[in-house]
Amino acid sequence: MSNTPDHPDNRTILETIDSPSAIKRLTIPQLEALAAEIRERLIHSVSKTGGHIGPNLGVVELTIAMHYVFDTPTDSFVFDVSHQAYVHKLLTGREKLFHTIRQPGGLNGFMLRTESPHDSYGAGHAGTALSAALGMAVARDMSGGTEHIVALAGDAAFTNGISFEALNNIAAQTKRLIVVLNDNAWSIDKNVGAIAEYFHRIVTNPTIAGLHDRASGLIGRIGGKTARHLQRKAEEAAKGLIGPGMLFEEFGLTYFGPIDGHNLPLLIDTFKFLKQQNRPVILHAITQKSRGFQPAIEQQKKFHGLGPYDASTGETKPSGQKTYSEIFAESLSKLANTNDKVVAITAAMPNGTALDLFRPLHPTRYFDVGIAEEHAVIFAAGMATKGYRPFCAIYSTFLQRAFDQVVHDVCLQTLPVVFCMDRGGLSGDDGPTHHGLFDISYLRSVPNLIHMVPKDEDELQDMMYTALLHPGPSAIRYPRGIGPGTPLKAHPVALEIGKAEVIRSSVSGGEDVAIFGLGAMLPEALRLAAMLEREGLSVAVINPRFAKPVDSECIATYGHRCGLLITMEDHVLAGGFGSAVLESVNTQELAISILRIGWPDEFIEHGKPDALRVKYGLTAEAALERARPYLAALLSKRMVAH
Ligand SMILES: Cc1ncc(C[n+]2csc(CCOP(=O)(O)OP(=O)(O)O)c2C)c(N)n1
């Protein structure tokens, strides 16, 4: 509780921060108390909502210091991924709403321009902060502005190509940009590659560590200008010692650090100093991910982002049934047992894709390339040219990054790379940055590629086997979380390419309606069929299996037999599976009505998938209402026929 004269009531310091200007009135001890309160709040609140607890616990002091020194929304903060913006949200007038984060209708889990003027740039995908911040800085310079632009990016964001594309341009484009490298040595898993090692070398270099300690000591004792001068001298001396040309200096950014990213007075003093610089600068802050929450420190991977947990023990509910991701990883491990050309590639998502189950079984055939989807795809293409069979496990939303590589490197050369797209469909709590709702559209237009969507876990393993046997590129999309729980056959079977599976059809062939329920929508298709039957209609249900090529023979068969085809997909309608059916109907000149059920041409907000499906009409009930205008005609046709 705050006992200062400013806050005589019973409110905590955090509760008194209704805008960042309130932070500026606090003393260092009060700021430190505020940091403790924020940690407490994060741990308890996120235990109920789920979310990115580890990254946020690591940036408490950094965010406080930034808000202490700079003035948003006049100044702009650009957070990479922006999954670590919870503290920023708490300090920018959203403290009272914080319990709603990631909840339907509540705060988004990422920065959102529409949510607050303090959120200057939205994100959810990695590697965007430096480019966006540079764009803002250049726009400011062009319009004669004086505000500050601060980009905050994690060490893993620097494994991403875009960060380097931005670095390549910064010094040439602006004299005033502050980049904060929040180095906690972790991506979601341990950060990987040469950049991670480079940061590690800087951090563990005893000479530099000594200088940095002396600098912080001096700041603590002396404070003010002299200390800043000495600190800069120390940091500049350090630069000469680091060796290989100081990566960032070579890019034209003046490097400061490494400094302790939890030392509030040091951070404040350093930001004040950086604010005055007339040159692009990078501050290397060392932070501890999950700081202040022991269960998370011990299980960094798990606590990067997760669902609800016990706030005192960190325990989570046992998951029970295997997820699609786990089935994917186990099936791939089995395929790798029998085929030594099978390799697995992830772009920094060993946990999310479950490839960390594959890694110990086939360590030499497992590749984590960092947050580098474009590279992952071309790397896979390269391996495929040498006879290997790469399975690229990349979420549907993140494969968007590598569209050109899919087209230009893989499909144009007909290389047998398999894209295993986890989170194909609505992702739920993470919201529009993470929904995987576009992959059928963006992949269906690419020649040579086949696109499969399993109805259950067993079909996923069949599709992976089919992809392995297929001589060209293929993609498989499967949803987040668990499936229907179908047990796996001992051995997968190869599916006929472009052949749908008829789930139910009347023996007489006299259906009125055929419903194509793609992947996770098949159960809804079956429910819809039951409802239509109650209305007196005869209904066939089809598992399309392939979004490309669609089964035109099957479409023709039912196009001739029925009066209505209904498609259901967990994907946008524009260019999706239903569009593919429409195209086939058009090409075959079938005279049949088509009703397409899928996501509308809008970005879908975060929320619970079931509720969002109800809201946007992706349910059997909503489909029945949409089908109603056709029903009378179908029924009268039926009477005439019989
Ligand atoms: C293009 C893209 N690929 C993958 C991800 C998934 N992802 C979210 S956060 C993250 C790790 C970020 O690590 P870092 O930048 O070091 O920040 P930290 O979480 O450690 O604070 C990854 C891989 C993503 N958001 N965007």
Side-chain angles (χ1 to χ4, degrees):
M1 300 291 161
S2 163
N3 295 319
T4 65
D6 282 354
H7 310 299
D9 50 31
N10 280 338
R11 289 183 298 167
T12 60
I13 301 175
L14 178 58
E15 283 162 357
T16 66
I17 310 291
D18 48 7
S19 81
S21 55
I23 301 166
K24 299 179 202 313
R25 294 198 287 270
L26 301 177
T27 61
I28 293 290
Q30 286 173 325
L31 290 173
E32 275 160 357
L34 174 66
E37 286 178 15
I38 289 175
R39 286 214 162 80
E40 191 68 16
R41 171 66 73 85
L42 287 173
I43 294 166
H44 282 92
S45 201
V46 179
S47 78
K48 299 193 184 83
T49 58
H52 289 101
I53 183 67
N56 281 287
L57 288 171
V59 296
V60 174
E61 289 81 8
L62 263 175
T63 316
I64 293 176
M66 282 164 65
H67 276 296
Y68 186 87
V69 174
F70 298 97
D71 294 300
T72 63
T74 308
D75 295 331
S76 301
F77 292 168
V78 187
F79 284 30
D80 203 272
V81 187
S82 82
H83 62 310
Q84 73 292 59
Y86 295 8
V87 187
H88 164 78
K89 294 198 182 212
L90 281 169
L91 298 177
T92 49
R94 285 169 275 182
E95 182 267 328
K96 288 193 174 56
L97 288 176
F98 190 68
H99 66 282
T100 70
I101 199 161
R102 293 159 58 89
Q103 305 308 296
L107 296 180
N108 190 275
F110 299 89
M111 288 260 215
L112 203 58
R113 280 172 59 79
T114 49
E115 193 177 284
S116 162
H118 296 277
D119 291 6
S120 64
Y121 198 81
H125 290 197
T128 65
L130 271 58
S131 299
L134 178 58
M136 291 178 187
V138 170
R140 171 205 57 204
D141 298 346
M142 287 174 75
S143 51
T146 54
E147 71 272 21
H148 299 277
I149 315 288
V150 185
L152 180 126
D155 49 299
F158 286 85
T159 64
N160 187 271
I162 314 177
S163 297
F164 281 87
E165 292 167 30
L167 280 174
N168 189 42
N169 276 281
I170 289 175
Q173 307 287 0
T174 189
K175 286 204 175 339
R176 284 204 307 120
L177 177 64
I178 299 169
V179 177
V180 182
L181 159 57
N182 168 35
D183 184 358
N184 56 28
W186 286 87
S187 182
I188 294 178
D189 211 296
K190 212 68 188 137
N191 198 10
V192 296
I195 295 289
E197 285 189 11
Y198 173 70
F199 292 160
H200 182 69
R201 275 205 308 278
I202 296 178
V203 173
T204 52
N205 181 319
T207 319
I208 295 160
L211 279 168
H212 143 68
D213 283 351
R214 284 212 296 282
S216 6
L218 284 166
I219 297 249
R221 279 202 305 278
I222 307 168
K225 259 193 187 156
T226 328
R228 282 201 295 276
H229 174 72
L230 288 171
Q231 180 205 4
R232 193 176 41 177
K233 280 271 164 261
E235 309 295 7
E236 280 173 358
K239 272 180 265 157
L241 299 168
I242 291 171
M246 280 305 304
L247 185 68
F248 297 109
E249 297 273 335
E250 296 294 336
F251 277 111
L253 280 81
T254 309
Y255 171 94
F256 292 90
I259 73 166
D260 175 359
H262 300 296
N263 182 335
L264 262 170
L266 177 63
L267 287 171
I268 289 173
D269 222 55
T270 306
F271 280 129
K272 283 183 182 164
F273 167 72
L274 295 178
K275 198 176 166 177
Q276 292 155 10
Q277 299 308 298
N278 205 23
R279 50 185 172 164
V281 294
I282 182 159
L283 174 66
H284 189 173
I286 309 305
T287 60
Q288 183 189 28
K289 206 163 176 170
S290 301
R291 189 176 179 87
F293 189 34
Q294 199 53 31
I297 291 172
E298 286 160 17
Q299 304 166 82
Q300 293 282 15
K301 258 195 278 186
K302 172 175 168 185
F303 282 88
H304 171 86
L306 76 174
Y309 53 85
D310 182 308
S312 46
T313 63
E315 273 162 28
T316 43
K317 280 207 194 95
S319 45
Q321 198 184 316
K322 281 183 186 154
T323 61
Y324 267 111
S325 314
E326 288 164 335
I327 300 289
F328 153 74
E330 286 179 12
S331 303
L332 191 60
S333 305
K334 281 197 266 169
L335 293 178
N337 289 340
T338 57
N339 183 327
D340 62 6
K341 295 294 184 197
V342 167
V343 293
I345 299 170
T346 174
M349 303 298 285
N351 209 22
T353 61
L355 274 182
D356 51 9
L357 300 174
F358 178 97
R359 173 169 37 185
L361 302 175
H362 301 285
T364 59
R365 288 193 272 156
Y366 163 85
F367 301 91
D368 178 356
V369 300
I371 311 178
E373 288 80 6
E374 301 99 307
H375 163 65
V377 173
I378 307 181
F379 172 68
M383 291 199 85
T385 65
K386 295 280 187 194
Y388 280 83
R389 305 302 299 233
F391 281 68
C392 268
I394 300 181
Y395 287 10
S396 164
T397 187
F398 299 143
L399 192 65
Q400 287 163 199
R401 275 283 166 87
F403 178 65
D404 182 57
Q405 291 71 22
V406 171
V407 177
H408 167 271
D409 296 273
V410 175
C411 294
L412 181 57
Q413 307 189 86
T414 328
L415 293 169
V417 174
V418 186
F419 299 107
C420 295
M421 296 179 294
D422 205 313
R423 272 66 165 174
L426 199 76
S427 92
D429 304 335
D430 281 331
T433 54
H434 283 61
H435 295 326
L437 296 180
F438 306 110
D439 59 88
I440 297 178
S441 309
Y442 72 73
L443 291 177
R444 203 165 66 75
S445 57
V446 188
N448 292 339
L449 186 94
I450 62 169
H451 189 306
M452 299 178 265
V453 191
K455 69 172 188 293
D456 61 23
E457 297 89 336
D458 188 45
E459 203 165 71
L460 172 59
Q461 74 153 353
D462 287 346
M463 288 179 174
M464 292 172 64
Y465 183 55
T466 307
L468 178 59
L469 299 180
H470 184 62
S474 43
I476 311 170
R477 79 175 329 230
Y478 42 94
R480 178 180 196 162
I482 58 170
T486 309
L488 304 195
K489 298 186 287 293
H491 300 287
V493 299
L495 304 173
E496 189 183 333
I497 307 288
K499 187 96 193 119
E501 178 194 27
V502 177
I503 300 283
R504 38 177 286 195
S505 178
S506 81
V507 190
S508 63
E511 289 90 355
D512 308 298
V513 180
I515 311 172
F516 291 74
L518 189 71
M521 292 302 276
L522 188 61
E524 283 306 291
L526 287 164
R527 279 202 324 117
L528 175 61
M531 291 174 182
L532 288 168
E533 275 164 358
R534 283 199 289 277
E535 304 272 336
L537 294 163
S538 165
V539 185
V541 177
I542 291 133
N543 163 25
R545 282 185 175 156
F546 290 82
K548 182 179 185 175
V550 290
D551 189 341
S552 31
E553 219 178 283
C554 174
I555 293 168
T557 304
Y558 288 95
H560 287 304
R561 275 193 209 172
C562 304
L564 177 66
L565 300 187
I566 302 178
T567 61
M568 300 182 85
E569 61 192 305
D570 186 9
H571 188 275
V572 290
L573 287 171
F577 170 71
S579 295
V581 172
L582 263 179
E583 288 163 21
S584 173
V585 163
N586 176 264
T587 308
Q588 302 188 76
E589 297 184 2
L590 305 173
I592 175 96
S593 300
I594 298 183
L595 174 60
R596 294 176 301 132
I597 305 295
W599 296 100
D601 188 15
E602 316 172 22
F603 285 107
I604 308 301
E605 71 271 30
H606 69 275
K608 302 290 166 218
D610 285 348
L612 288 170
R613 279 190 197 110
V614 170
K615 176 172 173 188
Y616 288 94
L618 274 82
T619 59
E621 287 76 9
L624 178 64
E625 286 317 303
R626 296 269 314 279
R628 265 201 201 287
Y630 302 91
L631 299 190
L634 290 172
L635 283 168
S636 61
K637 196 173 137 208
R638 180 169 194 78
M639 310 251 253
V640 173
H642 295 271

